[in-house]
Amino acid sequence: MSVHIRLLNENDPVIISKAFQEQGWGRSPEQYLHYLAEQQNGERVTLVAELNGEFAGYVNVLWNSSYPSFREQGIPEINDFNVLMKFQRQGIGSRLMDRAEEVILERTDVAGIGVGVFSDYGKAQVLYAHRGYIPDGHGVYKHDHYIQPGEETIMDDDVVLYLTKKLKATQ
């Protein structure tokens, strides 16, 4: 098994979109063209994983998070982390996370990540906990505010708990 991690390139948007559509996830090539443009502008780094030459997953590092606490503290955000279902539980996600943390460590020693709070995100929740990510202490966030006690909300992909990790140079 040969896993290769590299930067997103101009050939990837159509390949990635097709791979996710084949597993029933609607992802347009335009999304990845946008990622490529932001990578070229220095706003993000998009890392692509290939297993034996086949696209397997990707992750982004956002240098300026849209999450207010990270943005105010200058914490880069690991974002939109996805591994194709057929390649999950083979260490590819861990390899992508390792590389994302190495990229962040070139600039700062704290990484941030957000994770959904319902069961669809269970694997990610466990992975992040095992990697040493802890809640940032601000509670659950949705769209533009922290969910307050007694507030009702619809549980969807936009309800997020943000986590941070202190990175070490010898990871």
Side-chain angles (χ1 to χ4, degrees):
M1 179 171 91
S2 173
V3 177
H4 177 65
I5 309 292
R6 61 171 175 76
L7 291 175
L8 180 76
N9 68 43
E10 62 279 348
N11 299 317
D12 291 322
V14 171
I15 294 167
I16 295 172
S17 175
K18 183 177 182 222
F20 281 109
Q21 287 174 9
E22 287 174 357
Q23 74 175 23
W25 297 4
R27 303 284 173 98
S28 72
E30 289 74 27
Q31 175 180 342
Y32 304 105
L33 289 168
H34 175 76
Y35 289 178
L36 185 60
E38 285 191 348
Q39 179 173 270
Q40 291 167 340
N41 292 337
E43 299 170 51
R44 82 169 59 224
V45 173
T46 302
L47 301 168
V48 173
E50 294 175 326
L51 178 63
N52 299 323
E54 183 180 353
F55 169 75
Y58 70 92
V59 68
N60 292 289
V61 172
L62 303 179
W63 296 117
N64 296 300
S65 174
S66 63
Y67 176 57
S69 180
F70 290 176
R71 188 174 54 248
E72 290 163 9
Q73 297 177 70
I75 297 173
E77 179 184 341
I78 296 173
N79 172 272
D80 195 20
F81 172 41
N82 288 286
V83 175
L84 291 172
M85 290 185 283
K86 67 182 179 179
F87 293 124
Q88 291 179 0
R89 308 204 58 78
Q90 297 182 46
I92 294 165
S94 291
R95 293 277 302 276
L96 280 165
M97 288 290 292
D98 288 345
R99 186 66 190 114
E101 290 174 359
E102 290 169 3
V103 167
I104 290 170
L105 197 53
E106 292 171 7
R107 292 193 188 188
T108 185
D109 65 352
V110 178
I113 196 164
V115 66
V117 296
F118 59 94
S119 62
D120 286 1
Y121 293 94
K123 289 178 188 174
Q125 294 164 0
V126 171
L127 174 66
Y128 303 158
H130 280 267
R131 293 187 67 84
Y133 285 84
I134 59 170
D136 72 351
H138 293 290
V140 178
Y141 191 81
K142 184 173 184 177
H143 296 301
D144 61 355
H145 72 285
Y146 296 98
I147 304 297
Q148 299 302 309
E151 180 180 344
E152 292 186 17
T153 191
I154 294 174
M155 293 300 290
D156 59 18
D157 294 335
D158 296 324
V159 179
V160 178
L161 181 66
Y162 284 90
L163 315 166
T164 61
K165 177 182 177 180
K166 180 86 167 163
L167 303 175
K168 298 179 183 126
T170 58
Q171 295 213 50

